[in-house]
């Protein structure tokens, strides 16, 4: 898994935990954390998929040589 995907996954998990804590405490700031979790989960998916495609392209170029 690419490094950026791991970083964004960590941000996603931490923001989800922060959202739960905010809602348990009764603050509506948790909505911002939920939005951040959504954006970071999309970034995780993108970077993971991009890394997988780059690895497949690299493996394909080694086979043809």
């Amino acid at each position: 898994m690419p490094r950026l995907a791991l970083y964004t996954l960590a941000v996603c998990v931490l923001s989800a935990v922060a959202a739960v804590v905010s809602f348990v405490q009764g603050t509506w700031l948790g909505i911002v954390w939920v939005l951040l979790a959504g954006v970071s989960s999309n970034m995780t998916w993108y970077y993971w998929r991009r890394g997988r495609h780059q690895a497949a392209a690299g493996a394909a170029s080694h086979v043809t040589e």
Side-chain angles (χ1 to χ4, degrees):
M1 183 177 270
R3 184 176 296 161
L4 281 175
L6 291 174
Y7 290 156
T8 56
L9 180 62
V11 170
C12 181
V13 169
L14 291 174
S15 61
V17 170
V20 170
V21 169
S22 293
F23 285 129
V24 166
Q25 291 179 349
T27 62
W28 287 97
L29 185 63
I31 293 172
V32 175
W33 292 114
V34 169
L35 293 174
L36 182 63
V39 169
S40 61
S41 70
N42 287 340
M43 290 174 64
T44 300
W45 179 81
Y46 171 77
Y47 286 125
W48 176 74
R49 185 172 169 127
R50 188 178 80 167
R52 190 175 62 172
H53 283 242
Q54 287 177 347
S61 68
H62 290 298
V63 171
T64 59
E65 291 178 356

